[in-house]
Structures are given as structure tokens and as C-alpha cells.
Amino acid sequence: MKKRLRNKKRNRVSSTREREPKRTYRDSLFRTIFGGKDERSKRWLLSLYNALSGRNHTNIEDLEITTLEDVIYVSMKNDLSFLIHSQMCLYEHQSTVNPNMPLRGMLYFSQLYQQYIDKHKKNLYGSVLVKIPAPQFIVFYNGDAEQADTIKYRLSDAFITEDSSSKDDETYDADFEWTATVININKNHNESLSKNCEPLYHYRKFVNQVKENLSSGMSFDSAVNEAVDFAIKSDFLEGFFRENRMKILDDIYTEFDQESYDETLRNDGRIEGARENAIANAKNLILMHILTPEQIAQAVSIPLEQILALKEELTREAVATTN
């Protein structure tokens, strides 16, 4: 069945000539370069971390890849995450402006920390403070809208602090913050970062070449193929473009098909796993006490009635633990 689905997708892609520009090609290529499980991708990822953090780690064994494969639904899949020493890092790529990244990041990290707690058998209900890795949440942006070099999005900007149902315009304090640091990696932005990370510099040069080709009037197919040729001639990423030309083009051209994805999930028996992840995220959000049950239901795509039931269940567990 998997083979039939892949063939179906490939046939659909190959039959679509002169495709429209697909902004997500930047996202998929970023994940392919820095999110691979091979030694070379890990070296590139470590180089990116060093450039961002001002460190000089050289041992790729220090990296523990923690990227979430299936979180709630495919649009919530994170790009890449990893643990290095006492820091939990999440790197996202965006080709569009998205002020909701703090909320998305919080949902991602709740699952990452849940995995960490389960793996290390930590007890959240005990009297001893549970130590967790410090978070680093970076969003790399190279969309077409003009943005500053660095932007700090704050979750508190999304808080509903005024009760619209109250005649007295009652306001509420929200003593909680979560941020997403957005770094612009377009041409003429954060040049020093690219110079300190050659893989990022090569990725940026490739994307910029595609943009310039499109601006000159090339079709999307021609613009991408020419940019790949340019990257091969320039020996970008240690020959990565030459070795993976067909895979790169396939990743860039392939459109995501929700129906095929859902069917693949059902055949692989992963629907139940996705549902369990959604419930785990809901429980984490309930324990944080910063969102209403209605907001949590919307965020994790679970019925409100089930969220209320989970809240009661957690309350009972907390009472039983303290008694």
C-alpha cells in the first residue's frame, strides 16, 4: 500500500507541468540539509548551533536528535530539534511571517519535555525540583516580506486579557511568557551568521539564486533546475547538491496531499499514536494554567468535553498525590 501511495504521488507530480512557485521548497530543503540523521547533516547542524550560540563544539556525538515525527497533525510537525548538553534546541524554518510561532513553539516544547521526563523517569508530583534542559527556540525566516534582522515574538501578545462579556471591562494578569526569536537569513541580513556557518551560507545562496531566476522571468521548474546546476558547479555543501539532485528536486516539487497522508497513517497504525500525542499536549497545557479549556481544545484539535474531562482527571490525580 505504501508503494502504491508513493507511486500515485509521483505520478501526480510528474504529470503537473510548469508548476506554480511553491514557497515551501525553502522549508523542505532546510530540513533536508540540517535535519538528516547522517554524520554530515549532524556536522552542519552543529555548525549552525555554534554560529548561533558563539560556542565551538566539535563532537557530533554531543547531539541527540529529538525531532518530533508526528505531533497532532502534519502541520504541527516540527522542523528539527536536538539536545546538546543541558540545552534543548528547536529550530524552525518559515518562508512566511507567522506571529503564532511562540504558541507553536510552546506546544512543541511541551511534547519534547514530556519525552525527556519519560525517558529520565522524572517525577513531576514529588517535592524535589525537576531539572530540565534550558530551551533555545529559533525561527529562521527567508520569506519575501521585508523583516528586521531579528524579531522577538512573545506569547503574551496573544493573551486575551480583557473579558469581553464583562460590563466592567475586567482585565486579567498573565504572569507567563514564552518567546520565539526570528532570525532573518535573507540576503543582506545577518551576514556574520552566514559567514560563521558555511552550510547556512550555501543554503542561502541557493535560495537567493532561485529568487533571482524567478525575478528574471524564468518558470519555477527552470529557476530551480538552474539554481541546482549553480550549486553543483559551486560545489555547495560538499557535493550535496550533486549527490542528491533528484531527491532535492523531488522534495521541492512534491505537493503535500492530506488524503494520502491520512491513508498512510491508517495503514501504518499511527492514527492512535497521533491521538495520544494530542492528549499529552492537552494535559501539559492544562497544567500550565495559561489557556482556557476552549483555547486548548482549539490548539490540539480535541473536543472541549474531552478537555474538561482531562482537567478533572488531572485534578483528581493531584489531590491523590498530596493526600
Side-chain angles (χ1 to χ4, degrees):
M1 177 60 73
K2 290 182 184 178
K3 185 176 181 180
R4 183 179 68 80
L5 285 173
R6 286 196 296 268
N7 290 336
K8 178 181 177 183
K9 181 185 288 187
R10 191 173 291 112
N11 291 336
R12 181 175 64 252
V13 171
S14 61
S15 64
T16 306
R17 287 291 91 199
E18 293 310 320
R19 292 157 278 239
E20 292 298 316
K22 177 172 176 274
R23 65 172 179 264
T24 53
Y25 76 87
R26 309 168 203 177
D27 304 347
S28 58
L29 182 59
F30 183 87
R31 290 192 298 271
T32 300
I33 293 172
F34 294 102
K37 297 181 181 180
D38 58 289
E39 179 180 330
R40 189 164 56 177
S41 284
K42 288 182 178 180
R43 279 197 288 106
W44 294 339
L45 179 58
L46 188 60
S47 172
L48 183 58
Y49 172 79
N50 285 336
L52 284 167
S53 306
R55 301 182 186 278
N56 190 33
H57 293 288
T58 57
N59 185 7
I60 62 172
E61 297 302 320
D62 291 339
L63 288 175
E64 179 185 341
I65 304 301
T66 59
T67 302
L68 305 176
E69 297 299 334
D70 295 293
V71 183
I72 308 176
Y73 39 78
V74 74
S75 61
M76 288 295 290
K77 183 186 294 183
N78 72 340
D79 284 346
L80 55 97
S81 58
F82 59 96
L83 185 65
I84 180 167
H85 297 297
S86 59
Q87 190 160 44
M88 182 77 77
C89 304
L90 171 62
Y91 292 170
E92 285 286 303
H93 180 281
Q94 286 287 300
S95 49
T96 56
V97 176
N98 189 341
N100 296 307
M101 292 310 294
L103 179 55
R104 289 178 56 178
M106 186 178 67
L107 292 172
Y108 295 152
F109 268 98
S110 68
Q111 186 68 24
L112 290 170
Y113 281 132
Q114 184 66 56
Q115 291 180 356
Y116 178 86
I117 289 167
D118 291 343
K119 179 179 179 179
H120 295 276
K121 296 180 172 56
K122 302 289 186 178
N123 179 18
L124 294 182
Y125 300 98
S127 58
V128 178
L129 178 65
V130 173
K131 294 287 190 175
I132 58 175
Q136 182 192 62
F137 183 30
I138 304 294
V139 180
F140 296 94
Y141 170 81
N142 65 350
D144 300 323
E146 186 59 38
Q147 294 285 291
D149 274 8
T150 304
I151 300 174
K152 184 85 72 173
Y153 284 139
R154 302 182 184 280
L155 182 65
S156 58
D157 292 336
F159 291 165
I160 301 173
T161 56
E162 184 175 294
D163 185 359
S164 59
S165 64
S166 172
K167 295 181 180 179
D168 299 325
D169 291 329
E170 185 175 2
T171 59
Y172 301 93
D173 292 328
D175 187 18
F176 181 85
E177 189 61 276
W178 187 267
T179 61
T181 301
V182 182
I183 297 178
N184 192 340
I185 57 172
N186 276 307
K187 185 178 180 181
N188 299 324
H189 291 275
N190 291 300
E191 298 284 348
S192 60
L193 176 63
S194 294
K195 289 179 180 178
N196 290 328
C197 179
E198 186 177 75
L200 181 64
Y201 174 76
H202 288 168
Y203 164 76
R204 189 169 82 163
K205 289 281 288 184
F206 171 80
V207 170
N208 187 64
Q209 187 69 22
V210 174
K211 289 182 179 181
E212 290 183 355
N213 290 344
L214 290 171
S215 298
S216 69
M218 283 188 185
S219 67
F220 184 58
D221 284 23
S222 298
V224 171
N225 273 282
E226 193 282 333
V228 171
D229 289 338
F230 169 76
I232 291 174
K233 291 177 182 177
S234 303
D235 197 29
F236 283 174
L237 294 170
E238 306 170 26
F240 172 81
F241 283 90
R242 180 179 61 256
E243 299 165 12
N244 299 277
R245 179 187 181 94
M246 295 310 298
K247 181 183 185 306
I248 292 169
L249 292 175
D250 186 58
D251 288 345
I252 289 174
Y253 291 142
T254 300
E255 293 288 348
F256 174 74
D257 186 299
Q258 183 70 50
E259 182 180 353
S260 295
Y261 175 80
D262 289 342
E263 186 175 350
T264 301
L265 278 182
R266 284 191 291 271
N267 288 313
D268 287 355
R270 287 185 286 165
I271 285 288
E272 185 61 30
R275 180 177 176 275
E276 291 176 357
N277 282 334
I279 292 175
N281 279 329
K283 287 183 176 181
N284 288 331
L285 290 174
I286 291 171
L287 291 172
M288 290 178 184
H289 302 292
I290 61 172
L291 297 178
T292 66
E294 290 80 6
Q295 290 171 323
I296 295 173
Q298 184 177 8
V300 301
S301 192
I302 287 180
L304 176 59
E305 294 77 11
Q306 188 172 0
I307 297 296
L308 295 174
L310 289 173
K311 186 175 181 180
E312 292 181 3
E313 176 187 334
L314 291 172
T315 301
R316 289 195 300 271
E317 290 178 357
V319 171
T321 302
T322 55
N323 289 340

